[in-house]
Every structure is written in structure tokens, then in C-alpha cells.
């Protein structure tokens, strides 16, 4: 006699556009119940119309990863609705380095990138840890960048590079800290993707950028925790 198992649940920050929206679609197709998190419910509702749901469940939550009150409200709401969280995709990010370099970038720009791309992922993971540890083999997937690797740090994109370098470091620290709870933490690089952030000249579409996230969520063993991937291949930090 078979025992019913409820679908796995995944939360995607910055899920309302670009790679985040493609991740939501891919996870739905993989059988997940998806929580689409965006900075406003208006953005989330607009994004919902672009998803092919086919009767599958999509929850919407307002979550600004740079705002502690917004994180707390979202987490309180999720605790009331969920008994566990199987996958957290820390996708929300900014690329603010227009017409600046490491010699001209302002403290405010550095702070914005670091707060969104690195500190936001850390805080969301911290707050959702109680739900993650209730799942069997939960996974945290941090959407990073090749610009955050030691070999590819660029003085032309200083705040983005430094924030993704910090996110890569946070991935390794979180992986070590969460290993006793059976939670895996991965970083991935989606490549240069045609999004609002990446621009029209980028060679990849959002689905290609999202592919490794879906693969990590569905196929990769938690034993690979702490590793960094691009195109389903292990790469160096």
C-alpha cells in the first residue's frame, strides 16, 4: 500500500522576473509547490500570470531581502502556512555598477550590492532555518556569478564582484554550519543571461540560466554541499 507524500516546497527570492521566474517555472514542472517571493505583492501577482501552473500551487509572498521587517513578516506568514521548506533559492540580486569602477564606486553602491546580494541571502537563510531543518535533505541554492570567483574579480564591476565573492564565502560557511542538520548549501553561476540585469546582448535565455538551479534542487546529492557549479559542472571558487 502506497503512502501519500506531499509535494516538496521551494521558495525563490526575486522570483518575479528573469532567472527567478524561470526557476519558479522549472520547479513547478519538476513537481514542487513554489513560493514566489518578490519585493511587492504587485510584482508577484504580475509574475504569476507568466507562469504555466497547470493547477499546481504557487504561493505569493512579499519579501524584500534588504529589509529586516519585510523578512520577519514574510517568515511569520510562512511559519503559519508551511510545515517544512525543502528548497530555498536565494536569487534576489542587483547589478548596480554602471559607469563606475573600483576607483570611483561609492560606499552607498557597495553597501546596496552587499546588502542585497550577500547579506540578504544570509539573513533569509538564517530566518528560514527552522523550516529547512524539518525537511529531509533540504537544500539552499545561492545564485552567484563567475564575477565572484578569485580568477574573475573585475575592477569594472566592483560592488557586484565583491558582493558575489562574499556570497560565495557565505555559501561555504553556511554549508559547514548546516551540515549537522542535513541541509546542503550550493552556489551556482547562471552565466550571462538576457534579463533586465543582463541586458539584451546576453547569449543565454532565462531558462538556460535557471537550468543548474533546477538540477541542484532535483538531482544533486546533499553530499556535494559547499560546492560551486556552472552548467551542471563543478567549478572553482
Amino acid at each position: 500500500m502506497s503512502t501519500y507524500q506531499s509535494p516538496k516546497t521551494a521558495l525563490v527570492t526575486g522570483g518575479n522576473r528573469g532567472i527567478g521566474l524561470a526557476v519558479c517555472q522549472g520547479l513547478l514542472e519538476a513537481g514542487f509547490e513554489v513560493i514566489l517571493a518578490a519585493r511587492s505583492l504587485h510584482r508577484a501577482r504580475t509574475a504569476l500570470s507568466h507562469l504555466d501552473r497547470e493547477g499546481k500551487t504557487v504561493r505569493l509572498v512579499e519579501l524584500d531581502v534588504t529589509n529586516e521587517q519585510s523578512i520577519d513578516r514574510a517568515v511569520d506568514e510562512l511559519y503559519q502556512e508551511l510545515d517544512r521548506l525543502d528548497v530555498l533559492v536565494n536569487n534576489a540580486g542587483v547589478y548596480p555598477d554602471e559607469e563606475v569602477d573600483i576607483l570611483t564606486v561609492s560606499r552607498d553602491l557597495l553597501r546596496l550590492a552587499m546588502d542585497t546580494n550577500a547579506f540578504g541571502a544570509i539573513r533569509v537563510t538564517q530566518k528560514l532555518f527552522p523550516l529547512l531543518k524539518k525537511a529531509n535533505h533540504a537544500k539552499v541554492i545561492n545564485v552567484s556569478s563567475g564575477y565572484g570567483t578569485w580568477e574573475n574579480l573585475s575592477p569594472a564591476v566592483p560592488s557586484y564582484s565583491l558582493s558575489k565573492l562574499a556570497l560565495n564565502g557565505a555559501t561555504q560557511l553556511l554549508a559547514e554550519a548546516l551540515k549537522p542538520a542535513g541541509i546542503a548549501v550550493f552556489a551556482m553561476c547562471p552565466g550571462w543571461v538576457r534579463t533586465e540585469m543582463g541586458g539584451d546582448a546576453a547569449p543565454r535565455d532565462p531558462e538556460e540560466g535557471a537550468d543548474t538551479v533546477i538540477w541542484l534542487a532535483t538531482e544533486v546529492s546533499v553530499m556535494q554541499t559547499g560546492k560551486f557549479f556552472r552548467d551542471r559542472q563543478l567549478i572553482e571558487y
Side-chain angles (χ1 to χ4, degrees):
M1 186 165 84
S2 63
T3 302
Y4 171 76
Q5 292 184 334
S6 60
K8 289 186 175 182
T9 302
L11 185 148
V12 183
T13 67
N16 58 296
R17 60 185 174 89
I19 294 170
L21 188 62
V23 169
C24 288
Q25 184 64 62
L27 290 172
L28 283 171
E29 292 171 3
F32 281 78
E33 290 189 350
V34 170
I35 303 164
L36 190 161
R39 283 185 293 167
S40 72
L41 283 177
H42 173 71
R43 293 170 189 255
R45 292 190 187 103
T46 300
L48 193 60
S49 65
H50 297 288
L51 289 174
D52 182 6
R53 290 174 281 163
E54 295 183 352
K56 298 186 178 83
T57 299
V58 179
R59 290 184 174 90
L60 305 180
V61 65
E62 183 175 309
L63 173 57
D64 180 348
V65 302
T66 68
N67 184 293
E68 287 292 306
Q69 290 73 33
S70 176
I71 295 172
D72 287 341
R73 283 193 299 269
V75 168
D76 287 345
E77 180 181 328
L78 293 170
Y79 282 167
Q80 294 176 31
E81 297 180 355
L82 303 178
D83 60 359
R84 72 180 194 280
L85 182 64
D86 297 280
V87 173
L88 167 62
V89 182
N90 286 311
N91 167 74
V94 293
Y95 184 91
D97 294 317
E98 293 188 14
E99 299 181 359
V100 298
D101 59 25
I102 192 61
L103 297 178
T104 60
V105 64
S106 68
R107 182 184 294 267
D108 285 343
L109 208 63
L110 289 166
R111 184 184 294 113
L112 170 65
M114 199 68 74
D115 205 21
T116 308
N117 296 348
F119 301 158
I122 295 170
R123 290 299 286 155
V124 171
T125 304
Q126 290 173 340
K127 293 287 188 174
L128 291 174
F129 171 56
L131 283 175
L132 288 163
K133 70 180 179 180
K134 290 181 179 179
N136 290 323
H137 309 302
K139 297 174 178 178
V140 178
I141 303 168
N142 295 326
V143 178
S144 187
S145 170
Y147 275 133
T149 62
W150 289 111
E151 286 188 353
N152 295 305
L153 291 174
S154 172
V157 284
S159 73
Y160 188 76
S161 285
L162 289 171
S163 65
K164 292 300 187 178
L165 177 65
L167 180 61
N168 287 343
T171 299
Q172 296 175 75
L173 295 177
L174 287 167
E176 190 65 27
L178 296 178
K179 190 181 296 183
I183 301 169
V185 187
F186 308 109
M188 63 79 62
C189 170
W192 186 15
V193 179
R194 288 190 301 277
T195 63
E196 186 176 310
M197 184 184 298
D200 294 335
R204 295 185 169 199
D205 61 34
E207 290 71 29
E208 290 174 292
D211 176 73
T212 298
V213 176
I214 310 305
W215 174 73
L216 288 167
T218 57
E219 298 185 35
V220 175
S221 167
V222 295
M223 300 300 291
Q224 295 290 314
T225 188
K227 303 295 179 59
F228 191 18
F229 296 88
R230 180 194 291 126
D231 294 334
R232 303 193 180 194
Q233 300 294 317
L234 187 65
I235 61 174
E236 296 295 325
Y237 282 105

